[in-house]
PDB file of all heavy atoms in Angstrom:
ATOM      1  N   ARG A  27       0.841  -1.168  -0.028  1.00  0.00           N
ATOM      2  CA  ARG A  27      -0.002  -0.061   0.040  1.00  0.00           C
ATOM      3  C   ARG A  27       0.877   1.235  -0.005  1.00  0.00           C
ATOM      4  O   ARG A  27       0.556   2.184  -0.629  1.00  0.00           O
ATOM      5  CB  ARG A  27      -0.900   0.020   1.201  1.00  0.00           C
ATOM      6  CG  ARG A  27      -1.998   1.121   1.187  1.00  0.00           C
ATOM      7  CD  ARG A  27      -2.933   0.960   2.337  1.00  0.00           C
ATOM      8  NE  ARG A  27      -3.802  -0.205   2.139  1.00  0.00           N
ATOM      9  CZ  ARG A  27      -3.739  -1.287   2.942  1.00  0.00           C
ATOM     10  NH1 ARG A  27      -2.845  -1.371   3.933  1.00  0.00           N
ATOM     11  NH2 ARG A  27      -4.543  -2.307   2.783  1.00  0.00           N
ATOM     12  N   GLN A  28       2.002   1.269   0.743  1.00  0.00           N
ATOM     13  CA  GLN A  28       2.887   2.366   0.754  1.00  0.00           C
ATOM     14  C   GLN A  28       3.553   2.520  -0.665  1.00  0.00           C
ATOM     15  O   GLN A  28       3.750   3.617  -1.141  1.00  0.00           O
ATOM     16  CB  GLN A  28       3.932   2.142   1.780  1.00  0.00           C
ATOM     17  CG  GLN A  28       3.468   2.208   3.248  1.00  0.00           C
ATOM     18  CD  GLN A  28       2.908   3.573   3.588  1.00  0.00           C
ATOM     19  OE1 GLN A  28       3.525   4.641   3.180  1.00  0.00           O
ATOM     20  NE2 GLN A  28       1.819   3.631   4.300  1.00  0.00           N
ATOM     21  N   ALA A  29       3.894   1.386  -1.270  1.00  0.00           N
ATOM     22  CA  ALA A  29       4.555   1.506  -2.597  1.00  0.00           C
ATOM     23  C   ALA A  29       3.556   2.034  -3.648  1.00  0.00           C
ATOM     24  O   ALA A  29       3.974   2.696  -4.577  1.00  0.00           O
ATOM     25  CB  ALA A  29       5.018   0.112  -2.971  1.00  0.00           C
ATOM     26  N   MET A  30       2.310   1.715  -3.478  1.00  0.00           N
ATOM     27  CA  MET A  30       1.236   2.179  -4.542  1.00  0.00           C
ATOM     28  C   MET A  30       1.181   3.730  -4.502  1.00  0.00           C
ATOM     29  O   MET A  30       0.661   4.238  -5.506  1.00  0.00           O
ATOM     30  CB  MET A  30      -0.136   1.571  -4.173  1.00  0.00           C
ATOM     31  CG  MET A  30      -0.221   0.154  -4.671  1.00  0.00           C
ATOM     32  SD  MET A  30      -1.892  -0.457  -4.426  1.00  0.00           S
ATOM     33  CE  MET A  30      -1.711  -2.142  -5.091  1.00  0.00           C
ATOM     34  N   LYS A  31       1.633   4.338  -3.453  1.00  0.00           N
ATOM     35  CA  LYS A  31       1.551   5.849  -3.505  1.00  0.00           C
ATOM     36  C   LYS A  31       2.401   6.420  -4.615  1.00  0.00           C
ATOM     37  O   LYS A  31       2.152   7.554  -4.979  1.00  0.00           O
ATOM     38  CB  LYS A  31       1.911   6.369  -2.105  1.00  0.00           C
ATOM     39  CG  LYS A  31       0.965   6.049  -0.995  1.00  0.00           C
ATOM     40  CD  LYS A  31       1.413   6.637   0.319  1.00  0.00           C
ATOM     41  CE  LYS A  31       0.431   6.367   1.437  1.00  0.00           C
ATOM     42  NZ  LYS A  31       0.885   6.927   2.744  1.00  0.00           N
ATOM     43  N   ASP A  32       3.396   5.675  -5.115  1.00  0.00           N
ATOM     44  CA  ASP A  32       4.184   6.133  -6.145  1.00  0.00           C
ATOM     45  C   ASP A  32       3.506   5.998  -7.525  1.00  0.00           C
ATOM     46  O   ASP A  32       3.907   6.626  -8.513  1.00  0.00           O
ATOM     47  CB  ASP A  32       5.497   5.302  -6.217  1.00  0.00           C
ATOM     48  CG  ASP A  32       6.349   5.584  -4.966  1.00  0.00           C
ATOM     49  OD1 ASP A  32       6.273   6.705  -4.434  1.00  0.00           O
ATOM     50  OD2 ASP A  32       7.159   4.707  -4.649  1.00  0.00           O
ATOM     51  N   PHE A  33       2.407   5.229  -7.590  1.00  0.00           N
ATOM     52  CA  PHE A  33       1.593   5.038  -8.819  1.00  0.00           C
ATOM     53  C   PHE A  33       0.380   5.892  -8.710  1.00  0.00           C
ATOM     54  O   PHE A  33      -0.523   5.602  -7.981  1.00  0.00           O
ATOM     55  CB  PHE A  33       1.302   3.595  -8.998  1.00  0.00           C
ATOM     56  CG  PHE A  33       2.490   2.749  -9.268  1.00  0.00           C
ATOM     57  CD1 PHE A  33       3.091   2.014  -8.224  1.00  0.00           C
ATOM     58  CD2 PHE A  33       3.011   2.569 -10.537  1.00  0.00           C
ATOM     59  CE1 PHE A  33       4.239   1.238  -8.397  1.00  0.00           C
ATOM     60  CE2 PHE A  33       4.116   1.728 -10.774  1.00  0.00           C
ATOM     61  CZ  PHE A  33       4.775   1.099  -9.688  1.00  0.00           C
ATOM     62  N   THR A  34       0.326   6.965  -9.481  1.00  0.00           N
ATOM     63  CA  THR A  34      -0.751   7.878  -9.378  1.00  0.00           C
ATOM     64  C   THR A  34      -2.083   7.379  -9.830  1.00  0.00           C
ATOM     65  O   THR A  34      -3.144   7.913  -9.503  1.00  0.00           O
ATOM     66  CB  THR A  34      -0.435   9.162 -10.156  1.00  0.00           C
ATOM     67  OG1 THR A  34      -0.230   8.863 -11.561  1.00  0.00           O
ATOM     68  CG2 THR A  34       0.819   9.886  -9.609  1.00  0.00           C
ATOM     69  N   HIS A  35      -2.131   6.287 -10.566  1.00  0.00           N
ATOM     70  CA  HIS A  35      -3.373   5.765 -11.015  1.00  0.00           C
ATOM     71  C   HIS A  35      -4.087   4.801 -10.059  1.00  0.00           C
ATOM     72  O   HIS A  35      -5.021   4.110 -10.353  1.00  0.00           O
ATOM     73  CB  HIS A  35      -3.213   5.026 -12.378  1.00  0.00           C
ATOM     74  CG  HIS A  35      -3.046   5.999 -13.577  1.00  0.00           C
ATOM     75  ND1 HIS A  35      -4.105   6.882 -13.850  1.00  0.00           N
ATOM     76  CD2 HIS A  35      -2.097   6.133 -14.434  1.00  0.00           C
ATOM     77  CE1 HIS A  35      -3.662   7.596 -14.915  1.00  0.00           C
ATOM     78  NE2 HIS A  35      -2.473   7.194 -15.232  1.00  0.00           N
ATOM     79  N   PHE A  36      -3.474   4.740  -8.819  1.00  0.00           N
ATOM     80  CA  PHE A  36      -4.128   3.973  -7.737  1.00  0.00           C
ATOM     81  C   PHE A  36      -4.372   4.895  -6.505  1.00  0.00           C
ATOM     82  O   PHE A  36      -3.526   5.704  -6.209  1.00  0.00           O
ATOM     83  CB  PHE A  36      -3.247   2.805  -7.318  1.00  0.00           C
ATOM     84  CG  PHE A  36      -3.047   1.717  -8.391  1.00  0.00           C
ATOM     85  CD1 PHE A  36      -1.885   1.750  -9.184  1.00  0.00           C
ATOM     86  CD2 PHE A  36      -3.967   0.789  -8.491  1.00  0.00           C
ATOM     87  CE1 PHE A  36      -1.792   0.810 -10.147  1.00  0.00           C
ATOM     88  CE2 PHE A  36      -3.845  -0.240  -9.414  1.00  0.00           C
ATOM     89  CZ  PHE A  36      -2.733  -0.197 -10.318  1.00  0.00           C
ATOM     90  N   ASP A  37      -5.469   4.669  -5.848  1.00  0.00           N
ATOM     91  CA  ASP A  37      -5.750   5.418  -4.598  1.00  0.00           C
ATOM     92  C   ASP A  37      -5.100   4.768  -3.416  1.00  0.00           C
ATOM     93  O   ASP A  37      -4.426   3.655  -3.621  1.00  0.00           O
ATOM     94  CB  ASP A  37      -7.241   5.671  -4.418  1.00  0.00           C
ATOM     95  CG  ASP A  37      -8.030   4.364  -4.240  1.00  0.00           C
ATOM     96  OD1 ASP A  37      -7.434   3.338  -3.944  1.00  0.00           O
ATOM     97  OD2 ASP A  37      -9.223   4.456  -4.429  1.00  0.00           O
ATOM     98  N   ASP A  38      -5.333   5.204  -2.162  1.00  0.00           N
ATOM     99  CA  ASP A  38      -4.680   4.609  -1.024  1.00  0.00           C
ATOM    100  C   ASP A  38      -5.167   3.199  -0.737  1.00  0.00           C
ATOM    101  O   ASP A  38      -4.460   2.456  -0.026  1.00  0.00           O
ATOM    102  CB  ASP A  38      -4.955   5.469   0.222  1.00  0.00           C
ATOM    103  CG  ASP A  38      -4.269   6.863   0.135  1.00  0.00           C
ATOM    104  OD1 ASP A  38      -3.210   6.929  -0.611  1.00  0.00           O
ATOM    105  OD2 ASP A  38      -4.752   7.801   0.846  1.00  0.00           O
ATOM    106  N   GLN A  39      -6.282   2.817  -1.325  1.00  0.00           N
ATOM    107  CA  GLN A  39      -6.834   1.461  -1.086  1.00  0.00           C
ATOM    108  C   GLN A  39      -6.487   0.509  -2.262  1.00  0.00           C
ATOM    109  O   GLN A  39      -6.853  -0.600  -2.306  1.00  0.00           O
ATOM    110  CB  GLN A  39      -8.335   1.439  -0.948  1.00  0.00           C
ATOM    111  CG  GLN A  39      -8.854   2.102   0.345  1.00  0.00           C
ATOM    112  CD  GLN A  39      -8.702   3.566   0.541  1.00  0.00           C
ATOM    113  OE1 GLN A  39      -8.986   4.241  -0.394  1.00  0.00           O
ATOM    114  NE2 GLN A  39      -8.142   3.937   1.666  1.00  0.00           N
ATOM    115  N   GLY A  40      -5.690   0.987  -3.180  1.00  0.00           N
ATOM    116  CA  GLY A  40      -5.243   0.162  -4.314  1.00  0.00           C
ATOM    117  C   GLY A  40      -6.319   0.111  -5.462  1.00  0.00           C
ATOM    118  O   GLY A  40      -6.116  -0.683  -6.379  1.00  0.00           O
ATOM    119  N   ASN A  41      -7.321   0.983  -5.434  1.00  0.00           N
ATOM    120  CA  ASN A  41      -8.264   1.015  -6.455  1.00  0.00           C
ATOM    121  C   ASN A  41      -7.836   1.894  -7.615  1.00  0.00           C
ATOM    122  O   ASN A  41      -7.209   2.941  -7.414  1.00  0.00           O
ATOM    123  CB  ASN A  41      -9.654   1.552  -5.924  1.00  0.00           C
ATOM    124  CG  ASN A  41     -10.232   0.671  -4.854  1.00  0.00           C
ATOM    125  OD1 ASN A  41     -10.249  -0.518  -4.931  1.00  0.00           O
ATOM    126  ND2 ASN A  41     -10.611   1.286  -3.706  1.00  0.00           N
ATOM    127  N   ALA A  42      -8.202   1.481  -8.873  1.00  0.00           N
ATOM    128  CA  ALA A  42      -7.813   2.292  -9.951  1.00  0.00           C
ATOM    129  C   ALA A  42      -8.627   3.588 -10.034  1.00  0.00           C
ATOM    130  O   ALA A  42      -9.767   3.678  -9.620  1.00  0.00           O
ATOM    131  CB  ALA A  42      -8.078   1.483 -11.275  1.00  0.00           C
ATOM    132  N   ARG A  43      -8.000   4.583 -10.537  1.00  0.00           N
ATOM    133  CA  ARG A  43      -8.580   5.958 -10.690  1.00  0.00           C
ATOM    134  C   ARG A  43      -7.999   6.754 -11.766  1.00  0.00           C
ATOM    135  O   ARG A  43      -6.893   6.424 -12.266  1.00  0.00           O
ATOM    136  CB  ARG A  43      -8.445   6.671  -9.328  1.00  0.00           C
ATOM    137  CG  ARG A  43      -6.974   7.138  -9.102  1.00  0.00           C
ATOM    138  CD  ARG A  43      -6.798   7.990  -7.885  1.00  0.00           C
ATOM    139  NE  ARG A  43      -5.402   8.412  -7.718  1.00  0.00           N
ATOM    140  CZ  ARG A  43      -4.972   9.217  -6.785  1.00  0.00           C
ATOM    141  NH1 ARG A  43      -5.846   9.677  -5.885  1.00  0.00           N
ATOM    142  NH2 ARG A  43      -3.714   9.546  -6.647  1.00  0.00           N
ATOM    143  N   MET A  44      -8.742   7.704 -12.328  1.00  0.00           N
ATOM    144  CA  MET A  44      -8.179   8.685 -13.256  1.00  0.00           C
ATOM    145  C   MET A  44      -7.618   9.833 -12.367  1.00  0.00           C
ATOM    146  O   MET A  44      -8.341  10.369 -11.490  1.00  0.00           O
ATOM    147  CB  MET A  44      -9.242   9.176 -14.176  1.00  0.00           C
ATOM    148  CG  MET A  44      -8.696  10.259 -15.095  1.00  0.00           C
ATOM    149  SD  MET A  44     -10.042  10.887 -16.228  1.00  0.00           S
ATOM    150  CE  MET A  44     -10.096   9.582 -17.423  1.00  0.00           C
ATOM    151  N   VAL A  45      -6.448  10.218 -12.614  1.00  0.00           N
ATOM    152  CA  VAL A  45      -5.759  11.201 -11.811  1.00  0.00           C
ATOM    153  C   VAL A  45      -6.399  12.565 -11.954  1.00  0.00           C
ATOM    154  O   VAL A  45      -6.795  12.981 -13.095  1.00  0.00           O
ATOM    155  CB  VAL A  45      -4.253  11.331 -12.214  1.00  0.00           C
ATOM    156  CG1 VAL A  45      -3.591  12.438 -11.430  1.00  0.00           C
ATOM    157  CG2 VAL A  45      -3.595  10.026 -12.036  1.00  0.00           C
ATOM    158  N   ASP A  46      -6.607  13.280 -10.852  1.00  0.00           N
ATOM    159  CA  ASP A  46      -7.172  14.592 -10.863  1.00  0.00           C
ATOM    160  C   ASP A  46      -6.106  15.628 -11.252  1.00  0.00           C
ATOM    161  O   ASP A  46      -5.131  15.844 -10.485  1.00  0.00           O
ATOM    162  CB  ASP A  46      -7.737  14.959  -9.484  1.00  0.00           C
ATOM    163  CG  ASP A  46      -8.453  16.331  -9.454  1.00  0.00           C
ATOM    164  OD1 ASP A  46      -8.498  16.920 -10.506  1.00  0.00           O
ATOM    165  OD2 ASP A  46      -8.950  16.662  -8.388  1.00  0.00           O
ATOM    166  N   VAL A  47      -6.240  16.202 -12.388  1.00  0.00           N
ATOM    167  CA  VAL A  47      -5.240  17.166 -12.903  1.00  0.00           C
ATOM    168  C   VAL A  47      -5.790  18.587 -12.875  1.00  0.00           C
ATOM    169  O   VAL A  47      -5.181  19.480 -13.524  1.00  0.00           O
ATOM    170  CB  VAL A  47      -4.765  16.827 -14.282  1.00  0.00           C
ATOM    171  CG1 VAL A  47      -4.077  15.473 -14.328  1.00  0.00           C
ATOM    172  CG2 VAL A  47      -5.901  16.796 -15.304  1.00  0.00           C
ATOM    173  N   SER A  48      -6.939  18.885 -12.170  1.00  0.00           N
ATOM    174  CA  SER A  48      -7.549  20.193 -12.177  1.00  0.00           C
ATOM    175  C   SER A  48      -6.663  21.248 -11.653  1.00  0.00           C
ATOM    176  O   SER A  48      -6.821  22.449 -11.959  1.00  0.00           O
ATOM    177  CB  SER A  48      -8.910  20.076 -11.438  1.00  0.00           C
ATOM    178  OG  SER A  48      -8.658  19.702 -10.088  1.00  0.00           O
ATOM    179  N   ALA A  49      -5.738  20.886 -10.748  1.00  0.00           N
ATOM    180  CA  ALA A  49      -4.872  21.901 -10.121  1.00  0.00           C
ATOM    181  C   ALA A  49      -3.642  22.243 -10.961  1.00  0.00           C
ATOM    182  O   ALA A  49      -2.933  23.170 -10.650  1.00  0.00           O
ATOM    183  CB  ALA A  49      -4.470  21.445  -8.716  1.00  0.00           C
ATOM    184  N   LYS A  50      -3.398  21.506 -12.007  1.00  0.00           N
ATOM    185  CA  LYS A  50      -2.194  21.697 -12.817  1.00  0.00           C
ATOM    186  C   LYS A  50      -2.352  22.896 -13.789  1.00  0.00           C
ATOM    187  O   LYS A  50      -3.524  23.059 -14.330  1.00  0.00           O
ATOM    188  CB  LYS A  50      -1.837  20.453 -13.570  1.00  0.00           C
ATOM    189  CG  LYS A  50      -1.355  19.269 -12.698  1.00  0.00           C
ATOM    190  CD  LYS A  50      -0.905  18.103 -13.596  1.00  0.00           C
ATOM    191  CE  LYS A  50      -0.350  17.020 -12.781  1.00  0.00           C
ATOM    192  NZ  LYS A  50       0.122  15.901 -13.597  1.00  0.00           N
ATOM    193  N   GLN A  51      -1.304  23.553 -14.048  1.00  0.00           N
ATOM    194  CA  GLN A  51      -1.340  24.602 -15.062  1.00  0.00           C
ATOM    195  C   GLN A  51      -1.204  23.979 -16.468  1.00  0.00           C
ATOM    196  O   GLN A  51      -0.463  23.028 -16.701  1.00  0.00           O
ATOM    197  CB  GLN A  51      -0.210  25.543 -14.833  1.00  0.00           C
ATOM    198  CG  GLN A  51      -0.306  26.328 -13.490  1.00  0.00           C
ATOM    199  CD  GLN A  51      -1.505  27.283 -13.458  1.00  0.00           C
ATOM    200  OE1 GLN A  51      -1.811  27.933 -14.433  1.00  0.00           O
ATOM    201  NE2 GLN A  51      -2.063  27.355 -12.248  1.00  0.00           N
TER     202      GLN A  51
END
């Protein structure tokens, strides 16, 4: 679970997600 934090397409529970890029310029 700690290692998954390096993979942005997984949340803290290991579920797949689309990365939120709304804060990026």
Side-chain angles (χ1 to χ4, degrees):
R27 188 175 292 111
Q28 290 296 320
M30 279 185 180
K31 291 182 179 180
D32 295 331
F33 295 93
T34 57
H35 284 300
F36 293 98
D37 61 20
D38 292 338
Q39 287 72 46
N41 299 313
R43 66 173 182 181
M44 178 182 283
V45 178
D46 183 359
V47 297
S48 58
K50 291 185 177 181
Q51 296 294 322

